[in-house]
Amino acid sequence: MRGILRHPVRRMERVGLRTGLRWKVSAAIALVAGLVAIVLSLVVHNAARVSMLDNARELANDRVLMAQRNYELNRGRVFPYIKVDDAELPAALREKVERGRRASDVSEHGGTADIWAAVPAKDGHVLSLHSHLPDRSTDMLQDLDQALVIGSVAVVIGGSALGVLIGGQLSRRLRKAADAATQAANGETDIRVREAIGGVVRDETDELARAVDAMADALRQRLEAERRVTADIAHELRTPVTGLLTAAELLPPGRPTELVLDRAKAMRTLVEDVLEVARLDGASERAELQDIMLGEFVARRVAVKDPDVTVRVVHESEVTTDPRRLERVLFNLLANAARHGRPPVEVTVEGRVIRVRDHGPGFPEELLAEGPSRFRTGSKDRAGQGHGLGLTIAAGQARVLGARLTFRNVRPVGAPPGVPAEGAVAVLWLPEHAPTSTGSYPMLPASGGS
């Protein structure tokens, strides 16, 4: 499950996609709020202007009708604001009035509204009124526009704040879910994504969390079933393999006997390794801690294992760890270097860090990308011997120690990726404090650079 989650994250990091959901939601809400505010402002502005023009038009009609009655009662006398047979009267209005109809019109020129109203008199003349939108109405319209602008800005700001709040809550829930899923992928079996995100509100995030928990449970059950099957098979093989080895030792001396003994011992080693891997996968192993001087411990163990290996202690350090498991990790790394690399093999101790380097063709790219895998011996340059369990056991024991085990290849400085490696380096990083739980520091594969 760790491998499933690792590669998409790496691809996203390479592409550089790093935009927060909080800001996306905030920008979306602010954009929608802004568009709605602009549309509503335009609608309100136009409705208010049309209403004011209609009122002014009705007022002009009332005034011109009043002027008509006064003109006819007083035999041609008109109000000062009324004109008789105005030459500037629009032609369309003049035609309507000449047919004996009252007419009015509103037109705009250069942002100014011209309001016309005209009626026919009994003597055949045309009475007309020409006015503009009152200054009071214009001021009211400007005040309305100002209020609409302020309201629109407030809506956008409020929408942005609401988006930040909603997006932040959703982002926090998703981030908690991602952190919990990462912890589960790193082997912490007690982590539940649904419990990690918490909260009272039930939304799609809860459905996602339940789906991830269900997937993790299914994978965990499948892995546990595979581990139990592997452990059962290896356990059942111990008795016949031991009997085979005992029987082979009773054969008469000779080359055939040596071949049988060699294969029987190899099979016994394989069975023991498979059982150890099964125990490590079960996450039930615990370290038995002791205080040791790391440099001295490594030097003595390597001298017993292979006197030809060079040990260099750059900086001595006292550590609290499990000597037996640390020795197992160290010996497996040395065995891998001797089997797949080329001499000289060098061991360096610097503080709490142990480096094992050979001068062979380097680790396979699959191992650098995904970490050790059982029964995968690597590329053609580092294959042909072993079963791929040595580094798997070393990584498992490192997790029990609370340590990190990384792998990288050594290449010339500035060399392109296609240049063959000049060696492989395995680095064991012991924790600063004694481990308190199995797998507190996961194994992290390193890049292929030097």
Side-chain angles (χ1 to χ4, degrees):
M1 185 161 56
R2 178 176 58 211
I4 294 174
L5 295 175
R6 182 187 301 134
H7 300 297
V9 173
R10 286 183 174 177
R11 284 196 292 269
M12 290 183 65
E13 290 177 351
R14 286 198 297 267
V15 175
L17 298 177
R18 189 59 180 170
T19 55
L21 181 63
R22 171 188 302 179
W23 306 115
K24 289 181 179 179
V25 173
S26 175
I29 294 181
L31 179 61
V32 173
L35 293 176
V36 172
I38 291 174
V39 172
L40 289 179
S41 297
L42 292 176
V43 171
V44 172
H45 172 84
N46 290 332
R49 184 173 180 82
V50 169
S51 177
M52 290 180 181
L53 290 176
D54 288 342
N55 292 334
R57 185 174 182 174
E58 291 296 328
L59 178 62
N61 285 327
D62 292 341
R63 295 176 71 182
V64 77
L65 288 176
M66 185 182 300
Q68 179 193 25
R69 289 193 294 270
N70 181 72
Y71 178 81
E72 294 175 350
L73 290 175
N74 295 292
R75 300 178 181 179
R77 302 179 66 177
V78 296
F79 295 133
Y81 54 83
I82 297 297
K83 293 185 178 181
V84 179
D85 297 330
D86 189 357
E88 297 180 358
L89 182 67
L93 289 180
R94 184 180 299 277
E95 293 178 0
K96 292 181 180 180
V97 174
E98 289 176 350
R99 291 197 295 267
R101 298 169 52 190
R102 184 188 65 178
S104 62
D105 182 49
V106 176
S107 61
E108 293 190 24
H109 300 283
T112 302
D114 292 330
I115 303 172
W116 290 90
V119 294
K122 291 181 179 181
D123 57 4
H125 293 287
V126 175
L127 305 180
S128 63
L129 170 65
H130 181 208
S131 62
H132 302 284
L133 193 66
D135 293 338
R136 181 180 178 184
S137 298
T138 304
D139 294 340
M140 290 177 60
L141 194 60
Q142 291 177 352
D143 293 340
L144 177 62
D145 291 340
Q146 184 177 3
L148 290 175
V149 170
I150 296 175
S152 299
V153 173
V155 168
V156 172
I157 295 176
S160 301
L162 181 62
V164 170
L165 181 63
I166 297 175
Q169 182 179 6
L170 182 59
S171 178
R172 283 191 298 272
R173 289 168 64 84
L174 290 176
R175 191 175 294 111
K176 290 179 180 179
D179 292 341
T182 302
Q183 294 177 24
N186 289 334
E188 298 187 22
T189 57
D190 296 333
I191 295 296
R192 306 292 296 177
V193 178
R194 178 62 193 86
E195 296 177 358
I197 62 176
V200 179
V201 179
R202 297 294 181 262
D203 52 18
E204 288 79 0
T205 310
D206 297 88
E207 298 178 7
L208 174 63
R210 283 193 291 269
V212 173
D213 287 337
M215 179 188 68
D217 291 339
L219 290 175
R220 193 176 300 116
Q221 292 173 3
R222 181 174 300 180
L223 292 175
E224 180 62 21
E226 293 178 357
R227 186 193 68 82
R228 286 198 301 268
V229 169
T230 302
D232 293 342
I233 292 175
H235 184 75
E236 293 298 326
L237 286 175
R238 294 182 75 178
T239 300
V241 169
T242 302
L244 178 61
L245 183 60
T246 302
E249 292 174 348
L250 299 177
L251 294 175
R255 182 59 180 168
T257 301
E258 294 177 359
L259 293 176
V260 173
L261 280 173
D262 179 69
R263 293 298 87 194
K265 290 179 180 179
M267 185 176 295
R268 182 178 64 179
T269 301
L270 174 60
V271 171
E272 295 297 335
D273 287 347
V274 170
L275 282 173
E276 185 173 357
V277 170
R279 289 195 301 269
L280 293 172
D281 286 345
S284 59
E285 297 288 290
R286 292 293 182 269
E288 298 178 2
L289 304 178
Q290 295 182 21
D291 294 332
I292 61 172
M293 301 303 296
L294 186 60
E296 179 184 354
F297 176 85
V298 171
R300 284 192 286 107
R301 293 300 190 273
V302 172
V304 173
K305 177 68 175 178
D306 188 351
D308 295 332
V309 175
T310 303
V311 179
R312 186 166 64 96
V313 180
V314 178
H315 176 66
E316 181 65 279
S317 176
E318 183 178 5
V319 298
T320 302
T321 188
D322 188 329
R324 180 181 63 85
R325 297 184 187 277
L326 178 59
E327 181 183 89
R328 179 67 162 151
V329 175
L330 181 61
F331 283 3
N332 280 21
L333 295 179
L334 290 174
N336 182 80
R339 181 179 297 116
H340 300 294
R342 285 194 292 267
V345 177
E346 302 170 350
V347 178
T348 304
V349 180
E350 184 174 359
R352 300 174 178 273
V353 181
I354 303 174
R355 294 180 175 86
V356 178
R357 178 187 175 179
D358 64 60
H359 291 74
F363 291 113
E365 294 300 325
E366 294 83 359
L367 185 144
L368 295 177
E370 303 175 9
S373 178
R374 66 195 69 177
F375 300 109
R376 184 177 65 190
T377 57
S379 65
K380 60 183 180 180
D381 295 328
R382 295 177 71 92
Q385 303 180 35
H387 304 279
L389 296 177
L391 293 182
T392 303
I393 293 174
Q397 295 289 6
R399 284 194 293 270
V400 177
L401 295 175
R404 289 187 301 163
L405 183 57
T406 62
F407 305 92
R408 65 181 178 88
N409 289 336
V410 179
R411 289 189 173 89
V413 178
V419 175
E422 296 180 344
V425 180
V427 185
L428 180 67
W429 311 72
L430 292 175
E432 182 177 356
H433 303 286
T436 56
S437 63
T438 300
S440 55
Y441 293 86
M443 187 280 305
L444 299 176
S447 61
S450 59

